[in-house]
């Protein structure tokens, strides 16, 4: 897909939690087509310590409002500076980058499970929305440390059943997503997941053991977003591939994980 370097205008900056903000951006022209699982490389202006763009998953595209949403976790100087933007500010972004999730064909009777952990829930919202528009009802399994870290639940609940786990037991079942009872009580024919690598490896292990097709969205450190800097390589059955260019979404069969 063609990539664009755009000066986007902030329409809203919503604090969802002490460590998360939702930034909504628009443009004078129609936004380019974007697929679930793709991401943007965002320039950080006004930070003396941030020199590289920051990769941010595309959380949602509101076509009616001509908005792209970015769910930003505050983890360093760059994302903390980005979190301070106000309506009317300009955010320069390169998008859409990478390859997205593989969607079922419209004639398939698909029963997908979308598993997100932490800020890895971000691309699950756009993916769930796309599946819903195709007439496919997704099931969501979302995990976090506590109830405060489970984000955008109202949006997910509009698209399909939502199950949750928290490490402290403050919402849903206590534990990790791979321990949730839904995995033993319901049948799914494909799984999509994004989140911390140990979580995705555990989900991939479950999918392989139950012969379920599974795609993971990797969150390797990405500096350039176009496969030039080679800092995000992942070992696959085709050799070392750049997650930013050849991913970030991979079928687990391609990854040389010990699952």
């Amino acid at each position: 897909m063609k990539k664009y370097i755009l000066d986007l205008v902030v329409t809203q900056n919503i604090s969802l939690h002490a460590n998360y903000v939702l930034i909504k951006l628009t443009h004078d022209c129609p936004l380019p087509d974007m697929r679930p699982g793709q991401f943007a490389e965002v320039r950080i202006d006004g930070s003396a310590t941030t020199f590289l763009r920051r990769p941010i998953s595309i959380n949602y595209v509101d076509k009616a409002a001509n908005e792209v949403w970015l769910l930003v976790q505050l983890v360093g100087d760059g994302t903390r500076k980005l979190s301070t933007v106000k309506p009317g500010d300009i955010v320069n972004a390169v998008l859409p980058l990478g390859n997205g999730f593989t969607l079922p064909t419209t004639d398939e009777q698909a029963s997908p499970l979308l598993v997100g952990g932490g800020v890895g829930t971000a691309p699950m919202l756009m993916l769930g929305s796309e599946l819903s528009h195709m007439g496919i009802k997704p099931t969501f399994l979302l995990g976090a440390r506590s109830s405060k870290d489970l984000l955008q639940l109202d949006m997910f609940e509009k698209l399909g059943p939502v199950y949750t786990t928290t490490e402290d037991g403050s919402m849903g079942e206590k534990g990790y997503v791979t321990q949730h009872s839904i995995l033993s009580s319901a049948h799914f024919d494909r799984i999509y997941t994004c989140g911390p690598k140990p979580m995705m490896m555990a989900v991939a292990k479950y999918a392989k053991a139950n012969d379920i097709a599974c795609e993971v969205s990797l969150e390797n450190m990405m500096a350039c977003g176009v496969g030039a800097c080679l800092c995000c390589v992942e070992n696959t059955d085709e050799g070392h591939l750049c997650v930013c260019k050849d991913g970030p979404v991979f079928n687990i069969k391609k990854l040389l994980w010990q699952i």
Side-chain angles (χ1 to χ4, degrees), residues 237-257:
D237 61 1
E238 297 179 8
H240 287 85
L241 297 180
C242 290
V243 169
C244 66
K245 180 173 66 70
D246 302 301
V249 176
F250 291 92
N251 189 298
I252 60 170
K253 293 180 179 179
K254 292 182 65 68
L255 301 174
L256 300 184
W257 290 351

Side-chain angles (χ1 to χ4, degrees), residues 128-147:
S129 177
E130 188 68 26
L131 291 168
S132 181
H133 288 154
M134 295 172 63
I136 298 169
K137 179 176 284 190
T139 297
F140 299 98
L141 177 54
L142 310 177
R145 291 180 179 177
S146 72
S147 59

Side-chain angles (χ1 to χ4, degrees), residues 32-45:
D33 289 335
M34 291 172 252
R35 294 178 55 200
Q38 292 186 305
F39 66 99
E41 283 277 358
V42 179
R43 190 179 71 202
I44 308 298
D45 296 327

Side-chain angles (χ1 to χ4, degrees), residues 184-203:
S184 59
S185 62
H187 170 74
F188 303 101
D189 64 3
R190 68 197 68 210
I191 296 174
Y192 304 99
T193 185
C194 182
K197 189 171 182 178
M199 184 208 80
M200 290 192 292
M201 292 182 73
V203 172

Side-chain angles (χ1 to χ4, degrees), residues 96-174:
L97 295 171
N99 297 303
F101 293 102
T102 303
L103 297 175
T105 60
T106 53
D107 59 348
E108 288 184 72
Q109 297 298 313
S111 54
L113 176 66
L114 282 56
V115 184
V119 77
T121 61
M124 297 295 110
L125 182 61
M126 185 176 176
L127 175 59
S129 177
E130 188 68 26
L131 291 168
S132 181
H133 288 154
M134 295 172 63
I136 298 169
K137 179 176 284 190
T139 297
F140 299 98
L141 177 54
L142 310 177
R145 291 180 179 177
S146 72
S147 59
K148 295 184 296 184
D149 300 300
L150 287 168
L151 309 173
Q152 301 179 295
L153 290 181
D154 57 333
M155 296 288 294
F156 285 109
E157 288 167 350
K158 293 176 182 177
L159 302 172
V162 177
Y163 299 89
T164 61
T165 66
T166 50
E167 293 178 29
D168 65 0
S170 55
M171 180 176 286
E173 296 186 11
K174 185 175 182 178

